[in-house]
Amino acid sequence: MPAREGPPIGGGRVEARRVLFDDGRLRVIRNGESALLLCGEIDLSNSERLGAIMADALSPGGVVLVDLTDLSFIDLSGLRVLELVPCEGPMPAVRVRNVPPFVRRLLTLITGRPDDLF
């Protein structure tokens, strides 16, 4: 059976998806105009590059939306880039969605705050 082309089943808008970065551990996909989908692992080896990509993806309101649905690992450097724990220096305003339970648990352990961050 040939691959189906055209809009998704059920209609709706087809948003542009484009791979912005892929180092074999982390893939950053622009999902539409204002959202970034993160797939894989964020660690010290790629968190600085992720920060630069997020800065470039700022919306006119100065916010970048990050979807963590397919995130499988994150270390402290990644949490800092996503502004989930305090860090030094100006960072873009980040809004995260689809936060996996392991990230919520990690933030609770690191910050000592209940997982009311989202």
Side-chain angles (χ1 to χ4, degrees):
M1 176 180 219
R4 183 183 179 282
E5 294 185 19
I9 295 173
R13 199 173 86 184
V14 177
E15 295 187 4
R17 291 176 62 117
R18 183 170 59 115
V19 175
L20 301 177
F21 175 76
D22 188 344
D23 69 353
R25 297 180 72 141
L26 174 67
R27 177 179 280 195
V28 180
I29 300 169
R30 171 158 265 160
N31 190 9
E33 291 191 23
S34 61
L36 299 177
L37 175 62
L38 307 184
C39 308
E41 303 177 358
I42 305 171
D43 61 19
L44 189 58
S45 71
N46 54 29
S47 60
E48 187 174 332
R49 180 70 180 125
L50 175 59
I53 292 168
M54 288 170 40
D56 287 343
L58 284 174
S59 70
V63 174
V64 61
L65 179 62
V66 180
D67 188 325
L68 304 180
T69 300
D70 294 323
L71 192 67
S72 60
F73 175 82
I74 190 167
D75 70 2
L76 185 57
S77 66
L79 293 173
R80 285 185 173 151
V81 166
L82 295 176
E83 289 192 328
L84 298 178
V85 295
C87 63
E88 295 181 25
M91 296 294 290
V94 179
R95 301 241 194 286
V96 293
R97 66 179 178 196
N98 300 320
V99 179
F102 77 90
V103 174
R104 290 178 186 268
R105 173 82 172 125
L106 183 58
L107 289 170
T108 300
L109 291 170
I110 290 172
T111 65
R113 293 171 32 195
D115 90 335
D116 61 352
L117 301 169
F118 311 103

PDB file of all heavy atoms in Angstrom, residues 67-82:
ATOM      1  N   ASP A  67       8.213  21.342  23.830  1.00  0.00           N
ATOM      2  CA  ASP A  67       7.444  20.126  24.086  1.00  0.00           C
ATOM      3  C   ASP A  67       8.415  19.012  24.467  1.00  0.00           C
ATOM      4  O   ASP A  67       9.314  18.679  23.705  1.00  0.00           O
ATOM      5  CB  ASP A  67       6.670  19.755  22.820  1.00  0.00           C
ATOM      6  CG  ASP A  67       5.689  18.623  23.040  1.00  0.00           C
ATOM      7  OD1 ASP A  67       5.990  17.704  23.835  1.00  0.00           O
ATOM      8  OD2 ASP A  67       4.627  18.645  22.403  1.00  0.00           O
ATOM      9  N   LEU A  68       8.226  18.440  25.656  1.00  0.00           N
ATOM     10  CA  LEU A  68       9.134  17.414  26.180  1.00  0.00           C
ATOM     11  C   LEU A  68       8.572  16.002  26.047  1.00  0.00           C
ATOM     12  O   LEU A  68       9.085  15.071  26.670  1.00  0.00           O
ATOM     13  CB  LEU A  68       9.443  17.701  27.652  1.00  0.00           C
ATOM     14  CG  LEU A  68      10.020  19.081  27.975  1.00  0.00           C
ATOM     15  CD1 LEU A  68      10.276  19.205  29.474  1.00  0.00           C
ATOM     16  CD2 LEU A  68      11.276  19.340  27.188  1.00  0.00           C
ATOM     17  N   THR A  69       7.563  15.816  25.224  1.00  0.00           N
ATOM     18  CA  THR A  69       6.911  14.516  25.076  1.00  0.00           C
ATOM     19  C   THR A  69       7.902  13.378  24.854  1.00  0.00           C
ATOM     20  O   THR A  69       7.790  12.320  25.467  1.00  0.00           O
ATOM     21  CB  THR A  69       5.918  14.545  23.893  1.00  0.00           C
ATOM     22  OG1 THR A  69       4.933  15.536  24.142  1.00  0.00           O
ATOM     23  CG2 THR A  69       5.259  13.205  23.686  1.00  0.00           C
ATOM     24  N   ASP A  70       8.870  13.562  23.969  1.00  0.00           N
ATOM     25  CA  ASP A  70       9.783  12.488  23.591  1.00  0.00           C
ATOM     26  C   ASP A  70      11.152  12.589  24.254  1.00  0.00           C
ATOM     27  O   ASP A  70      12.116  12.010  23.763  1.00  0.00           O
ATOM     28  CB  ASP A  70       9.941  12.463  22.068  1.00  0.00           C
ATOM     29  CG  ASP A  70       8.636  12.087  21.375  1.00  0.00           C
ATOM     30  OD1 ASP A  70       7.907  11.243  21.917  1.00  0.00           O
ATOM     31  OD2 ASP A  70       8.349  12.651  20.314  1.00  0.00           O
ATOM     32  N   LEU A  71      11.234  13.311  25.367  1.00  0.00           N
ATOM     33  CA  LEU A  71      12.491  13.424  26.095  1.00  0.00           C
ATOM     34  C   LEU A  71      12.698  12.161  26.931  1.00  0.00           C
ATOM     35  O   LEU A  71      11.784  11.709  27.613  1.00  0.00           O
ATOM     36  CB  LEU A  71      12.451  14.654  27.008  1.00  0.00           C
ATOM     37  CG  LEU A  71      13.761  15.076  27.610  1.00  0.00           C
ATOM     38  CD1 LEU A  71      14.719  15.584  26.537  1.00  0.00           C
ATOM     39  CD2 LEU A  71      13.539  16.164  28.651  1.00  0.00           C
ATOM     40  N   SER A  72      13.887  11.562  26.863  1.00  0.00           N
ATOM     41  CA  SER A  72      14.156  10.337  27.621  1.00  0.00           C
ATOM     42  C   SER A  72      15.162  10.544  28.742  1.00  0.00           C
ATOM     43  O   SER A  72      15.265   9.713  29.640  1.00  0.00           O
ATOM     44  CB  SER A  72      14.647   9.233  26.678  1.00  0.00           C
ATOM     45  OG  SER A  72      15.836   9.635  26.021  1.00  0.00           O
ATOM     46  N   PHE A  73      15.922  11.652  28.721  1.00  0.00           N
ATOM     47  CA  PHE A  73      16.920  11.932  29.759  1.00  0.00           C
ATOM     48  C   PHE A  73      17.217  13.420  29.760  1.00  0.00           C
ATOM     49  O   PHE A  73      17.214  14.061  28.708  1.00  0.00           O
ATOM     50  CB  PHE A  73      18.217  11.163  29.491  1.00  0.00           C
ATOM     51  CG  PHE A  73      19.321  11.496  30.462  1.00  0.00           C
ATOM     52  CD1 PHE A  73      19.381  10.888  31.702  1.00  0.00           C
ATOM     53  CD2 PHE A  73      20.273  12.449  30.139  1.00  0.00           C
ATOM     54  CE1 PHE A  73      20.387  11.221  32.606  1.00  0.00           C
ATOM     55  CE2 PHE A  73      21.289  12.780  31.025  1.00  0.00           C
ATOM     56  CZ  PHE A  73      21.344  12.161  32.263  1.00  0.00           C
ATOM     57  N   ILE A  74      17.470  13.950  30.951  1.00  0.00           N
ATOM     58  CA  ILE A  74      17.910  15.340  31.074  1.00  0.00           C
ATOM     59  C   ILE A  74      18.781  15.447  32.314  1.00  0.00           C
ATOM     60  O   ILE A  74      18.493  14.826  33.341  1.00  0.00           O
ATOM     61  CB  ILE A  74      16.704  16.309  31.138  1.00  0.00           C
ATOM     62  CG1 ILE A  74      17.169  17.764  31.028  1.00  0.00           C
ATOM     63  CG2 ILE A  74      15.879  16.081  32.381  1.00  0.00           C
ATOM     64  CD1 ILE A  74      16.039  18.744  30.770  1.00  0.00           C
ATOM     65  N   ASP A  75      19.888  16.200  32.201  1.00  0.00           N
ATOM     66  CA  ASP A  75      20.733  16.425  33.372  1.00  0.00           C
ATOM     67  C   ASP A  75      20.555  17.877  33.829  1.00  0.00           C
ATOM     68  O   ASP A  75      19.721  18.622  33.309  1.00  0.00           O
ATOM     69  CB  ASP A  75      22.196  16.069  33.091  1.00  0.00           C
ATOM     70  CG  ASP A  75      22.891  17.016  32.132  1.00  0.00           C
ATOM     71  OD1 ASP A  75      22.277  18.006  31.677  1.00  0.00           O
ATOM     72  OD2 ASP A  75      24.067  16.772  31.826  1.00  0.00           O
ATOM     73  N   LEU A  76      21.342  18.281  34.825  1.00  0.00           N
ATOM     74  CA  LEU A  76      21.199  19.610  35.394  1.00  0.00           C
ATOM     75  C   LEU A  76      21.437  20.707  34.356  1.00  0.00           C
ATOM     76  O   LEU A  76      20.736  21.719  34.343  1.00  0.00           O
ATOM     77  CB  LEU A  76      22.146  19.785  36.580  1.00  0.00           C
ATOM     78  CG  LEU A  76      22.013  21.088  37.356  1.00  0.00           C
ATOM     79  CD1 LEU A  76      20.603  21.279  37.871  1.00  0.00           C
ATOM     80  CD2 LEU A  76      23.012  21.117  38.488  1.00  0.00           C
ATOM     81  N   SER A  77      22.387  20.513  33.451  1.00  0.00           N
ATOM     82  CA  SER A  77      22.637  21.535  32.433  1.00  0.00           C
ATOM     83  C   SER A  77      21.408  21.718  31.542  1.00  0.00           C
ATOM     84  O   SER A  77      21.077  22.834  31.144  1.00  0.00           O
ATOM     85  CB  SER A  77      23.863  21.183  31.585  1.00  0.00           C
ATOM     86  OG  SER A  77      23.637  20.027  30.809  1.00  0.00           O
ATOM     87  N   GLY A  78      20.714  20.636  31.245  1.00  0.00           N
ATOM     88  CA  GLY A  78      19.492  20.723  30.444  1.00  0.00           C
ATOM     89  C   GLY A  78      18.365  21.405  31.189  1.00  0.00           C
ATOM     90  O   GLY A  78      17.636  22.220  30.616  1.00  0.00           O
ATOM     91  N   LEU A  79      18.231  21.099  32.476  1.00  0.00           N
ATOM     92  CA  LEU A  79      17.204  21.759  33.287  1.00  0.00           C
ATOM     93  C   LEU A  79      17.449  23.256  33.342  1.00  0.00           C
ATOM     94  O   LEU A  79      16.527  24.059  33.284  1.00  0.00           O
ATOM     95  CB  LEU A  79      17.183  21.179  34.700  1.00  0.00           C
ATOM     96  CG  LEU A  79      16.719  19.727  34.822  1.00  0.00           C
ATOM     97  CD1 LEU A  79      16.918  19.239  36.241  1.00  0.00           C
ATOM     98  CD2 LEU A  79      15.270  19.583  34.390  1.00  0.00           C
ATOM     99  N   ARG A  80      18.710  23.636  33.441  1.00  0.00           N
ATOM    100  CA  ARG A  80      19.043  25.071  33.489  1.00  0.00           C
ATOM    101  C   ARG A  80      18.712  25.758  32.170  1.00  0.00           C
ATOM    102  O   ARG A  80      18.200  26.869  32.157  1.00  0.00           O
ATOM    103  CB  ARG A  80      20.507  25.260  33.846  1.00  0.00           C
ATOM    104  CG  ARG A  80      20.765  25.001  35.295  1.00  0.00           C
ATOM    105  CD  ARG A  80      22.181  25.315  35.658  1.00  0.00           C
ATOM    106  NE  ARG A  80      22.343  25.217  37.097  1.00  0.00           N
ATOM    107  CZ  ARG A  80      23.465  24.897  37.701  1.00  0.00           C
ATOM    108  NH1 ARG A  80      24.548  24.659  36.986  1.00  0.00           N
ATOM    109  NH2 ARG A  80      23.531  24.833  39.004  1.00  0.00           N
ATOM    110  N   VAL A  81      19.029  25.117  31.051  1.00  0.00           N
ATOM    111  CA  VAL A  81      18.719  25.702  29.748  1.00  0.00           C
ATOM    112  C   VAL A  81      17.211  25.897  29.597  1.00  0.00           C
ATOM    113  O   VAL A  81      16.762  26.898  29.041  1.00  0.00           O
ATOM    114  CB  VAL A  81      19.277  24.832  28.601  1.00  0.00           C
ATOM    115  CG1 VAL A  81      18.690  25.225  27.261  1.00  0.00           C
ATOM    116  CG2 VAL A  81      20.784  24.939  28.546  1.00  0.00           C
ATOM    117  N   LEU A  82      16.436  24.967  30.114  1.00  0.00           N
ATOM    118  CA  LEU A  82      14.982  25.078  30.032  1.00  0.00           C
ATOM    119  C   LEU A  82      14.414  25.990  31.116  1.00  0.00           C
ATOM    120  O   LEU A  82      13.204  26.123  31.236  1.00  0.00           O
ATOM    121  CB  LEU A  82      14.335  23.699  30.128  1.00  0.00           C
ATOM    122  CG  LEU A  82      14.638  22.752  28.981  1.00  0.00           C
ATOM    123  CD1 LEU A  82      14.014  21.390  29.234  1.00  0.00           C
ATOM    124  CD2 LEU A  82      14.172  23.320  27.664  1.00  0.00           C
TER     125      LEU A  82
END
